[in-house]
């Protein structure tokens, strides 16, 4: 049992001032695996004060000192590898190999990348007639979701530390234990008192408290659009800067000359990875009408290589994170059937033999019209919609017919067509074929997918203010 009832404030583990707790459930077994305290506004005030007190000295540390701190964090993070993998598998239900290759690695890459980006970062720029200085924005409040317990926390914390900004973190209640390990790492490597503070709690108390706190200068949030909207409204009362990384309904355009097997495998991979609980996942696959039958067969074949099951047994698709998420996904599958899309794989209910755990059947809908609810709303589960197109212009238009713009994907061979598709998609990140991830590249959304960018030097910029000095001697 993991009972983490303390918050981490001003360099110490301290009791909560309230008595409310919340159980954390393993979604694969539906068993309680631990508890956290639900913090109070008083806990939050203490954490904000600690961060505020740490600000004058932390913001004045040298770049070299912060590079060293980030490198030490990355090293200690590596030392905790097994613990991180086990914890994420337990609280999120992600298969061990996904916990290792994606969750563990992303956290590691963000800390290492922030150190690298910081080495080359200029905090002072001379221009004709004026000097520009980039200074820490102040105290940052970080609110993170449950689907990537080390990725979203680490990218925000690493960038804030690189910029010299002390933080208060509120992780998601469903998956709070990975953040406890991060806290232990910061404590071990000697992150100065007050620079990192962890307050566990609900969105309505601590999340809301962060976005409205008069002594927090910047809020970085990743999560749902509905919550992002509340945060932005709250933050407006104290003219707080906000960065939001919200939902997506990203398109994957398959070009006529694409290798069908490879593209189908990539499409299926999007709904399999993390059980489709990925904001940047491609969930609308656009294929040439002439490729329909062949592509559908290839998708079905590829899906059979992603069995659903116990995340500790090396299966490729684990459960969804919670009963609530399971219900949501079920209702979207029902909606797709009701809307008249053709279901070529999956369906409602649990996969055979998996009665315990929030397992759902990976589902593929074809003959989807882009105006259908299943093509427009973010489902956040293993559900793919497949649409057909006749011309590339039409594919790009359909790809952009969405309120979102987080990511886009293009598969094919002809460089001119690939370029046309990649530059036509209105989204913050477009990936061509199976290009490797690059942690120095900016990540964030167009349209209702968010505001701001994370990762690498763009991530650091978020935690800085620009000061102009005229006549700097
Ligand atoms: P989900 O519905 O999938 O849990 P949310 O966007 O609600 O997604 O959750 C993401 C994070 O936002 C979590 O840490 C959650 O506690 C927090 N949160 C929820 N409601 C609020 C709120 N009103 N203000 C600030 N944060 C919130």
């Amino acid at each position: 049992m993991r009972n983490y009832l303390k918050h981490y404030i001003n360099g110490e583990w301290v009791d909560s001032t309230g008595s409310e707790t919340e159980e954390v459930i393993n979604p694969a077994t539906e068993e309680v695996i631990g508890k956290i305290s639900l913090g109070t506004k008083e806990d939050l005030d203490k954490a904000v004060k600690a961060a505020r007190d740490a600000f004058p000295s932390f913001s004045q540390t040298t770049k070299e000192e912060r590079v060293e701190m980030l490198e030490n964090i990355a090293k200690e993070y590596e030392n905790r590898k097994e613990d991180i993998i086990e914890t994420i598998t337990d609280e999120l239900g992600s298969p061990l190999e996904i916990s290792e290759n994606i969750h563990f690695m992303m956290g590691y890459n963000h800390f290492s990348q922030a150190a690298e980006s910081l080495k080359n970062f200029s905090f002072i720029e001379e221009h004709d007639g004026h000097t520009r200085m980039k200074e820490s924005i102040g105290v940052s409040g970080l609110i993170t979701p449950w689907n990537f317990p080390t990725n979203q926390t680490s990218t925000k914390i690493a960038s804030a530390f690189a910029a010299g900004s002390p933080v208060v973190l509120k992780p998601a209640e469903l998956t709070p234990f990975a953040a406890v390990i991060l806290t232990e790492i910061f404590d071990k490597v000697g992150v100065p008192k007050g620079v990192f503070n962890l307050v566990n709690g609900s969105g309505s108390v601590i999340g809301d408290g962060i976005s409205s706190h008069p002594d927090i200068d910047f809020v970085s949030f990743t999560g749902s659009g509905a919550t992002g909207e509340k945060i932005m409204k709250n933050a407006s009362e104290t003219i707080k800067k906000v960065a939001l990384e919200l939902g997506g309904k990203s398109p994957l355009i398959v070009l006529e000359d694409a290798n069908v097997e490879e593209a189908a495998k990539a499409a299926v991979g999007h709904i399999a990875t993390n059980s489709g609980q990925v904001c940047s996942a491609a969930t609308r696959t656009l294929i040439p009408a002439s490729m329909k039958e062949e592509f559908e067969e290839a998708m079905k074949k590829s899906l059979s290589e992603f069995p659903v099951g116990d995340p500790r047994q090396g299966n490729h698709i684990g459960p969804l994170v919670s009963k609530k998420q399971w219900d949501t996904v079920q209702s979207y599958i029902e909606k797709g059937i009701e809307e008249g899309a053709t279901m070529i794989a999956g369906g409602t209910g649990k996969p055979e033999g998996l009665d315990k755990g929030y397992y759902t059947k990976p589902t593929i809908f074809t003959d989807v019209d882009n105006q259908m609810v299943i093509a427009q709303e973010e489902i956040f589960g293993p559900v793919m919609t497949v649409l057909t197109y006749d011309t590339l212009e039409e594919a790009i238009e359909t790809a952009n017919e969405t309120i979102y713009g987080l990511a886009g994907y293009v598969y094919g061979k002809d460089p001119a067509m690939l370029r046309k598709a990649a530059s036509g998609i209105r989204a913050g990140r477009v990936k061509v074929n199976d290009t490797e991830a690059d942690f120095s590249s900016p990540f964030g959304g167009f349209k209702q997918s968010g505001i701001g960018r994370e990762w690498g030097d763009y991530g650091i910029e978020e935690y800085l203010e620009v000061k102009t000095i005229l006549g700097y001697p």
Side-chain angles (χ1 to χ4, degrees):
M1 232 358 135
R2 300 164 193 259
N3 284 330
Y4 292 108
L5 299 176
K6 298 196 178 207
H7 307 299
Y8 185 82
I9 298 172
N10 205 25
E12 282 176 52
W13 288 102
V14 297
D15 288 329
S16 187
T17 58
S19 55
E20 255 191 284
T21 59
E22 184 150 312
E23 290 178 334
V24 179
I25 293 180
N26 178 333
T29 61
E30 300 183 34
E31 279 162 13
V32 175
I33 52 167
K35 249 194 241 175
I36 52 162
S37 283
L38 293 180
T40 63
K41 288 266 159 83
E42 201 182 329
D43 296 325
L44 177 63
D45 283 343
K46 283 188 193 167
V48 175
K49 181 171 184 317
R52 178 58 57 198
D53 290 347
F55 173 68
S57 59
F58 188 54
S59 59
Q60 295 308 310
T61 48
T62 64
K63 202 162 99 163
E64 290 70 29
E65 284 169 320
R66 299 200 299 280
V67 166
E68 195 188 338
M69 186 174 119
L70 286 162
E71 286 175 345
N72 289 340
I73 290 170
K75 267 189 229 133
E76 183 57 20
Y77 183 95
E78 256 192 310
N79 292 340
R80 299 293 300 269
K81 182 173 178 179
E82 286 314 309
D83 208 3
I84 291 170
I85 294 168
E86 292 280 320
T87 300
I88 294 180
T89 291
D90 283 350
E91 65 183 5
L92 177 65
S94 69
L96 287 169
E97 73 265 21
I98 301 284
S99 296
E100 176 171 354
N101 300 332
I102 300 185
H103 295 287
F104 168 78
M105 280 316 297
M106 290 189 94
Y108 177 77
N109 284 321
H110 286 308
F111 287 115
S112 314
Q113 181 61 53
E116 282 312 303
S117 299
L118 182 55
K119 282 179 195 165
N120 303 315
F121 200 92
S122 287
F123 288 87
I124 180 158
E125 289 168 14
E126 296 297 346
H127 288 259
D128 255 0
H130 71 275
T131 302
R132 293 176 200 175
M133 282 187 181
K134 293 182 181 174
E135 297 182 358
S136 165
I137 195 162
V139 173
S140 299
L142 316 177
I143 305 172
T144 54
W146 46 262
N147 64 327
F148 278 89
T150 44
N151 171 46
Q152 274 113 0
T153 44
S154 301
T155 187
K156 293 183 197 313
I157 297 165
S159 299
F161 285 179
S165 166
V167 305
V168 177
L169 168 69
K170 189 210 90 66
E173 310 88 298
L174 289 175
T175 59
F177 296 141
V180 170
I181 301 178
L182 289 181
T183 309
E184 289 168 354
I185 292 168
F186 304 147
D187 191 73
K188 177 99 189 270
V189 306
V191 168
K193 270 178 196 280
V195 167
F196 178 80
N197 303 277
L198 171 78
V199 182
N200 273 311
S202 67
S204 57
V205 176
I206 305 301
D208 178 273
I210 287 177
S211 57
S212 55
H213 206 289
D215 223 15
I216 288 183
D217 303 282
F218 170 51
V219 178
S220 178
F221 168 76
T222 300
S224 64
T227 302
E229 202 181 312
K230 283 188 201 156
I231 287 173
M232 210 167 157
K233 277 192 188 136
N234 251 354
S236 71
E237 290 182 14
T238 47
I239 320 290
K240 215 185 286 314
K241 178 181 163 185
V242 291
L244 307 172
E245 199 260 274
L246 309 172
K249 194 76 193 176
S250 302
L252 185 162
I253 300 181
V254 180
L255 300 180
E256 274 187 4
D257 62 0
N259 177 310
V260 174
E261 303 255 304
E262 278 172 23
K265 193 170 170 202
V268 168
H270 276 272
I271 58 165
T273 305
N274 223 34
S275 303
Q277 302 167 124
V278 182
C279 48
S280 57
T283 48
R284 291 182 299 142
T285 300
L286 285 85
I287 55 169
S290 58
M291 196 188 270
K292 190 170 182 283
E293 277 75 37
E294 202 189 345
F295 198 84
E296 286 179 7
E297 281 316 305
M299 277 188 107
K300 279 199 269 185
K301 182 166 167 274
S302 183
L303 194 59
S304 67
E305 287 157 22
F306 287 96
V308 182
D310 184 351
R312 293 198 157 267
Q313 298 302 321
N315 283 297
H316 291 279
I317 305 184
L320 294 169
V321 72
S322 65
K323 170 74 168 64
K324 184 174 160 234
Q325 195 61 23
W326 191 87
D327 288 340
T328 305
V329 171
Q330 296 305 306
S331 67
Y332 276 114
I333 298 174
E334 281 161 20
K335 187 78 193 166
I337 297 168
E338 193 187 304
E339 287 183 305
T342 308
M343 199 169 63
I344 62 160
T348 53
K350 293 193 175 183
E352 223 183 287
L354 293 170
D355 300 329
K356 217 167 181 56
Y358 309 124
Y359 296 100
T360 190
K361 296 178 197 162
T363 300
I364 301 174
F365 286 109
T366 60
D367 299 314
V368 173
D369 182 293
N370 199 46
Q371 302 314 318
M372 288 179 183
V373 170
I374 55 165
Q376 286 295 315
E377 294 186 11
E378 186 180 45
I379 299 175
F380 230 59
V383 181
M384 178 58 77
T385 58
V386 183
L387 301 89
T388 55
Y389 70 85
D390 291 319
T391 62
L392 183 55
E393 288 72 21
E394 185 195 331
I396 293 169
E397 201 181 312
T398 307
N400 292 333
E401 261 174 23
T402 165
I403 58 168
Y404 296 113
L406 189 56
Y409 303 85
V410 189
Y411 271 81
K413 296 195 186 84
D414 179 57
M417 297 292 262
L418 286 169
R419 268 199 294 271
K420 184 171 174 179
S423 46
I425 295 174
R426 298 209 64 234
R429 165 168 298 190
V430 179
K431 198 169 157 193
V432 177
N433 293 324
D434 285 322
T435 314
E436 295 231 324
D438 177 353
F439 286 84
S440 71
S441 65
F443 179 77
F446 281 25
K447 302 192 267 181
Q448 291 189 31
S449 286
I451 298 174
R453 294 291 179 270
E454 302 196 280
W455 301 25
D457 53 351
Y458 264 82
I460 299 173
E461 295 276 359
E462 291 285 22
Y463 296 81
L464 296 169
E465 287 280 21
V466 177
K467 180 194 277 179
T468 303
I469 303 183
L470 299 159
Y472 191 57

